Amino acid sequence: MTDVPQNGHTYLDFNSPLSDSKAYDLITTLQPLAGATVVDYGCGWAELLLRAVEHEPTARGLGVDSDDHAITRGRRNIEARGLASHVRLDLADVTTWETEPADVAISIGASHAWGGTKDALEAMRARLRPGGTLLLGDAFWEQPPSPRSVEVVGEGFGTLAELVDLAMSCGYRLLSLTTATLDEWDSFESRWCAGRERWLLEHPDHPRAGEVRAIVDDHREGWLKGYRGRLGFAYLTLARR
């Protein structure tokens, strides 16, 4: 039986609304990377981590995530790109996995693992050396949320200014700030849906086609009729005080 798609990541480069050019810009905000230990908490398949190490070959990369499909994909990419001596990915719970304090920490879209943004910021601060740098990717409300958007996304997010204030109150200074554009969001959501949509085109009579169709229809409805244009995503480069 043909495998049913396990997730919507097939056509995604990054598991967040992020373009190639913005990924490069984010990596430049993490300088100096020479000789640095870079740890990505909730790395997924670790594409940004791999690009950071490719940008600075003397850096050492570590990534951790509890998604075995993502870690398997990331490990394949490491081998294919000749980075096995520079990057290691671990399948583990990000909240309990331990290593030495990092020079640079990355946490993009992973705050939920700690129960929210404040707890994630505090956890990352404890995992950074003094003066280290954190790249945090997290959601905020770009426009006042509608009842439908809150139903889809959940509560716990504030405005962009409130997100920055929260980071500052947790012992950081802001080095750089950028947000996802609507084009980046639409590309991300379209690619997320495309993995299952293309599978459905190839397997319309599969016994589980109805289940897969319901998943992608529900996601598209939540995106287009819920949070599109309302939910923002910010990338904060922060220095640990």
Side-chain angles (χ1 to χ4, degrees):
M1 181 179 290
T2 305
D3 289 340
V4 176
Q6 297 297 315
N7 54 51
H9 302 158
T10 304
Y11 295 101
L12 291 174
D13 295 322
F14 306 98
N15 195 18
S16 65
L18 180 63
S19 61
D20 289 338
S21 61
K22 187 166 290 178
Y24 175 80
D25 290 342
L26 290 178
I27 291 168
T28 64
T29 70
L30 304 177
Q31 302 296 334
L33 285 173
T37 298
V38 185
V39 183
D40 191 337
Y41 290 88
C43 65
W45 53 94
E47 181 60 28
L48 188 63
L49 179 64
L50 268 59
R51 293 194 190 192
V53 173
E54 287 172 329
H55 181 79
E56 177 46 70
T58 67
R60 172 174 172 255
L62 297 172
V64 56
D65 201 288
S66 59
D67 185 333
D68 59 342
H69 295 284
I71 290 292
T72 297
R73 174 181 173 182
R75 287 172 175 167
R76 285 198 303 264
N77 289 343
I78 287 170
E79 292 295 331
R81 287 151 74 169
L83 295 172
S85 62
H86 299 280
V87 184
R88 186 186 87 226
L89 303 184
D90 288 349
L91 179 65
D93 183 339
V94 298
T95 65
T96 57
W97 181 85
E98 294 184 2
T99 188
E100 295 296 317
D103 300 301
V104 176
I106 299 172
S107 177
I108 296 179
S111 294
H112 60 88
W114 282 273
T117 305
K118 183 176 187 296
D119 289 338
L121 284 163
E122 292 173 347
M124 291 296 97
R125 191 172 189 278
R127 290 162 171 78
L128 272 173
R129 66 166 180 80
T133 304
L134 168 64
L135 175 59
L136 176 77
D138 215 336
F140 68 95
W141 290 117
E142 200 156 21
Q143 299 291 337
S146 65
R148 174 62 173 153
S149 60
V150 173
E151 178 186 341
V152 173
V153 176
E155 299 179 340
F157 301 115
T159 65
L160 181 58
E162 287 170 338
L163 177 59
V164 173
D165 285 346
L166 178 60
M168 301 277 279
S169 72
C170 289
Y172 297 90
R173 298 294 298 178
L174 181 67
L175 299 178
S176 178
L177 166 66
T178 189
T179 61
T181 66
L182 189 58
D183 282 346
E184 286 174 317
W185 264 116
D186 286 348
S187 175
F188 171 70
E189 300 292 1
S190 295
R191 292 188 192 193
W192 192 99
C193 293
R196 290 188 172 91
E197 291 288 6
R198 291 186 181 277
W199 182 89
L200 286 166
L201 289 172
E202 295 170 1
H203 309 95
D205 300 320
H206 191 282
R208 295 181 62 186
E211 172 190 339
V212 174
R213 189 174 295 108
I215 290 172
V216 74
D217 286 351
D218 183 66
H219 185 92
R220 187 184 59 253
E221 289 277 311
W223 158 40
L224 293 176
K225 299 179 182 179
Y227 56 85
R228 184 181 186 273
R230 295 179 182 271
L231 187 68
F233 200 86
Y235 299 95
L236 281 61
T237 302
L238 303 163
R240 182 191 188 275
R241 290 208 308 262

